[in-house]
Amino acid sequence: MAQPVLFVIDDDAGVVRALRDDLGRRFGRDFRVMGESSAAAGLSALRGLAELHEPVALLIVDHDMPQMPGVGFLARAHELHPLAKRVLLVERDYSAGSPIVRAMTLGQADYHITKPWMLEQDLYREVSGFLAEWAKDQEAGFELFHVVGGLQDRGTHELRELLTRFGEPFGFTTASSEPGRQLLAEHGLDGSRLPVMIRHDGYTMVEPTLDQIISAVGGSIANDVSECDVVVVGAGPAGLTAAVYAASEGLQTVSLEETVSGGQAGNSPMIRNYPGFPHGVSGHELTRRACEQAWMFGAHMVFAQPAGGLETRGGEHVVRLASGHHVAAKAVIVATGIAWRRLGVPRLEALVGSGVFYGAAGSELRAMEGRDVFVVGAGNSAGQTALYLARYARQVTMLVRGDNLERSMSDYLIQEIRATPNIAVRLRTEVTEGHGSDHLEALTLHDRLRDQAEQVPAAALFVLIGGEPRTQWLPAAVQLQWGYVLTGRDVVRDGSHPSRWPLDRAPLPLETSVPGVFAAGDVRYRSIKRVASAVGDGATVVRLVHEHLAAGQVLPAGAVTE
Ligand SMILES: Cc1cc2nc3c(=O)[nH]c(=O)nc-3n(C[C@H](O)[C@H](O)[C@H](O)COP(=O)(O)OP(=O)(O)OC[C@H]3O[C@@H](n4cnc5c(N)ncnc54)[C@H](O)[C@@H]3O)c2cc1C
């Protein structure tokens, strides 16, 4: 295959020459660096590369070319090379009026480079990062696993999603294709049971369970620690951060997760508002790194192990696992987040994973190329999902029950949605029925204003309508409000609540109504519902656990909570 191209375009031929030389010195062994100094010559060269099927990795375009603005050029060049990452070349100008601010908000560029650049600090470090992201999107490369399954099969969807969440490189072939049939035959299988997961060493699993998948990727599913300092329940951003800090500060830490780490954030393809990542960061990547970091500090990470109950006796808390095992701890951090609210349409529930997705399933978004898809919801998650889908789908329709987006969505997202031609917003509209036997084919939409129903063809439906806190497993002694855990000043201490706070001192800020049991992240009443705030809670709560342990307080005799 031809070497991938780094393509530079600037109307100043000196800038093009300097960039070509600088990039060539560092990346010239693996990439061909090309450049042009006019928009017309640039588009013609890129057209030629597209005709020869030569891949372009980066399009580096000056924002201010006289013949064509940089974002306009990027849009046309991206049509020719849709997998290339789009980089805008801008002046050093840290004002809100810088063209990159608007281009990023409207999704017209992926990254930027400032002029003039410093070689090591700016150019090489940043371009290496852009290329790493580009390389991730390429299908070729080492595969740890190969999945053979059905495009619309629920089990196949769940398996691909789990492998994506674990960051494992894997390939996928449909069972009905010729290569798929061949692969199955080579392993003595007929495709009657799908999905099939083939490890690089030939080890093959048919319809693998969650436990088998996690074991195959090297994750731990058994808890062999019966006593520790702190149990963290839930491995989303809050729980992972708590595990990082607790373990790094010398507390013996067990982290229990119902499925795999990442939480809701692990499903988010791009988080643009997490501090320190000006071009955004994939939620999956962020949480994968946090999980690895917690493990590196010595936290005992256990997957596929939901906590099923909690009992407190004196100073000791005992977490009951679904497996029947128990783990006792001096403190417990509840970081179980929220679960998506359901649409409650039985046909659509039956098609979950087969065209209907709760949340934005990272591995599926790109599969929507050229299709007509629908997003239900009016919050930021729904907006982000619609924008991400619009890069691949032919048409994205947002279905909103209310009469506006402003009440529930950030302004920058609303602006971006309005500026995206293939996103339509249908207000006062509900999904009342789904159609399709083994995969979603159509939806019935109800226009609430006109009281009219209409059936529309649909390749996929993404549901992002908020969620319910995951607190059903907690004992009655943990005070809840609308299902969320009350902490700190919100804990009711005046006797008006059936479960009493038993100590003279006030609860610590993230402490629940049970001394020594803390809550962090989305599961907490009045939490902010952002990755950064969940991370903040996770870091803060460990400081409070130290305070609790130092005080050595135990519950008064007779105070038993189950
Ligand atoms: C699609 C999407 C896009 C988003 N985009 C953004 C964004 O751009 N910016 C932003 O700031 N925020 C965003 N959010 C919100 C953000 O992801 C959440 O606020 C954040 O993940 C909350 O973290 P958490 O750790 O509190 O809970 P969660 O992420 O919900 O994690 C909770 C974890 O606990 C586990 N769990 C539940 N019950 C149990 C049990 N009994 N035992 C063991 N484990 C259990 C769950 O499996 C889960 O892994 C987005 C959310 C979604 C869904």
Side-chain angles (χ1 to χ4, degrees):
M1 194 177 97
Q3 275 185 322
V5 172
L6 310 185
F7 198 91
V8 179
I9 178 147
D10 192 308
D11 60 309
D12 182 338
V15 171
V16 175
R17 204 175 317 113
L19 252 182
R20 282 183 65 171
D21 289 350
D22 288 345
L23 290 171
R25 263 198 306 281
R26 177 59 61 94
F27 302 104
R29 272 171 63 119
D30 301 318
F31 295 88
R32 196 147 53 101
V33 188
M34 295 173 62
E36 291 292 347
S37 52
S38 83
L43 282 175
S44 156
L46 288 166
R47 209 168 290 118
L49 290 170
E51 277 161 12
L52 295 171
H53 301 289
E54 295 200 9
V56 174
L58 297 185
L59 293 161
I60 304 174
V61 177
D62 180 47
H63 81 93
D64 195 22
M65 293 188 293
Q67 314 96 333
M68 194 185 290
V71 288
F73 185 91
L74 275 177
R76 293 189 51 187
H78 207 236
E79 280 171 16
L80 296 166
H81 296 279
L83 292 181
K85 294 286 176 196
R86 301 159 302 166
V87 186
L88 211 54
L89 207 47
V90 295
E91 314 297 329
R92 277 182 192 273
D93 161 19
Y94 293 110
S95 77
S98 166
I100 189 59
V101 175
R102 186 175 156 81
M104 287 298 294
T105 305
L106 297 180
Q108 295 164 328
D110 299 306
Y111 308 112
H112 77 287
I113 293 174
T114 43
K115 291 194 279 190
W117 54 88
M118 284 178 280
L119 280 189
E120 298 296 337
Q121 294 97 313
D122 292 345
L123 195 67
Y124 293 156
R125 186 174 54 84
E126 286 174 1
V127 168
S128 298
F130 307 161
L131 289 173
E133 289 302 313
W134 169 81
K136 258 195 242 159
D137 291 348
Q138 307 310 299
E139 273 157 22
F142 172 69
E143 284 175 5
L144 202 54
F145 295 97
H146 200 91
V147 175
V148 186
L151 256 186
Q152 303 288 351
D153 171 58
R154 181 177 181 158
T156 305
H157 159 71
E158 282 171 3
L159 174 56
R160 292 169 69 193
E161 188 56 22
L162 275 172
L163 290 174
T164 305
R165 298 268 301 249
F166 261 113
E168 299 297 338
F170 73 96
F172 172 67
T173 309
T174 50
S176 54
S177 67
E178 193 41 45
R181 275 193 291 272
Q182 250 177 36
L183 253 174
L184 290 171
E186 278 166 25
H187 290 80
L189 300 167
D190 61 6
S192 55
R193 288 171 61 211
L194 294 173
V196 171
M197 179 173 162
I198 306 165
R199 204 163 62 184
H200 66 102
D201 55 4
Y203 177 62
T204 302
M205 285 161 280
V206 179
E207 289 183 308
T209 61
L210 179 63
D211 289 12
Q212 287 172 323
I213 299 165
I214 292 172
S215 301
V217 301
S220 170
I221 53 164
N223 175 43
D224 49 10
V225 179
S226 55
E227 266 180 51
C228 63
D229 293 322
V230 58
V231 170
V232 183
V233 186
L240 288 171
T241 309
V244 166
Y245 279 85
S248 69
E249 291 169 19
L251 297 175
Q252 199 191 0
T253 306
V254 172
S255 158
L256 301 174
E257 166 55 47
E258 180 174 31
T259 55
V260 295
S261 63
Q264 302 161 67
N267 268 334
S268 176
M270 182 58 74
I271 294 176
R272 274 206 58 206
N273 58 356
Y274 191 76
F277 295 89
H279 299 126
V281 57
S282 116
H284 156 69
E285 185 59 19
L286 189 72
T287 51
R288 188 189 66 76
R289 286 173 182 229
C291 183
E292 194 144 327
Q293 198 174 10
W295 167 64
M296 292 262 182
F297 277 124
H300 183 54
M301 310 298 293
V302 188
F303 304 107
Q305 275 298 346
L310 171 67
E311 292 169 23
T312 296
R313 288 196 173 82
E316 192 179 62
H317 308 282
V318 180
V319 179
R320 183 163 38 83
L321 308 186
S323 63
H325 290 94
H326 293 83
V327 51
K330 294 173 192 150
V332 171
I333 297 170
V334 177
T336 44
I338 54 179
W340 291 108
R341 239 170 236 134
R342 318 296 290 195
L343 279 177
V345 177
R347 187 70 229 135
L348 291 173
E349 296 300 332
L351 293 173
V352 169
S354 302
V356 178
F357 305 99
Y358 278 88
S363 61
E364 303 299 331
L365 295 182
R366 291 190 57 179
M368 299 302 147
E369 199 157 346
R371 294 162 189 238
D372 292 344
V373 302
F374 292 76
V375 176
V376 184
N380 281 357
S381 308
Q384 281 160 349
T385 302
L387 285 164
Y388 198 81
L389 278 165
R391 293 197 205 166
Y392 304 104
R394 187 174 64 170
Q395 177 70 39
V396 181
T397 306
M398 294 191 72
L399 305 172
V400 178
R401 276 189 67 170
D403 56 9
N404 67 54
L405 286 177
E406 281 75 6
R407 213 169 296 134
S408 46
M409 195 181 288
S410 300
D411 185 55
Y412 78 94
L413 285 172
I414 298 176
Q415 277 187 45
E416 207 174 328
I417 285 167
R418 287 191 179 135
T420 307
N422 63 336
I423 302 183
V425 180
R426 288 182 65 157
L427 301 173
R428 302 181 202 88
T429 304
E430 277 175 350
V431 186
T432 51
E433 190 51 283
H435 308 272
S437 52
D438 55 357
H439 67 274
L440 183 70
E441 288 169 8
L443 296 169
T444 300
L445 305 181
H446 178 232
D447 182 324
R448 297 171 67 207
L449 194 66
R450 296 194 192 89
D451 195 21
Q452 276 173 2
E454 177 195 4
Q455 189 168 323
V456 291
L461 177 72
F462 292 85
V463 186
L464 296 107
I465 51 174
E468 305 281 356
R470 307 285 311 273
T471 49
Q472 299 77 2
W473 63 282
L474 288 170
V478 175
Q479 294 177 6
L480 306 177
Q481 173 74 29
W482 300 320
Y484 289 90
V485 180
L486 294 180
T487 54
R489 277 188 314 185
D490 289 324
V491 168
V492 181
R493 298 173 61 203
D494 61 6
S496 63
H497 196 281
S499 73
R500 295 271 317 268
W501 169 255
L503 301 179
D504 291 336
R505 70 159 171 89
L508 296 167
L510 298 179
E511 200 169 25
T512 70
S513 52
V514 176
V517 175
F518 296 81
D522 280 11
V523 76
R524 196 168 58 74
Y525 179 60
R526 286 210 259 230
S527 59
I528 308 290
K529 315 277 184 306
R530 292 276 185 280
V531 177
S533 37
V535 164
D537 269 13
T540 309
V541 76
V542 174
R543 176 79 202 87
L544 302 165
V545 165
H546 282 300
E547 238 175 86
H548 164 77
L549 295 181
Q553 259 156 342
V554 295
L555 292 180
V560 175
T561 61
E562 290 186 25

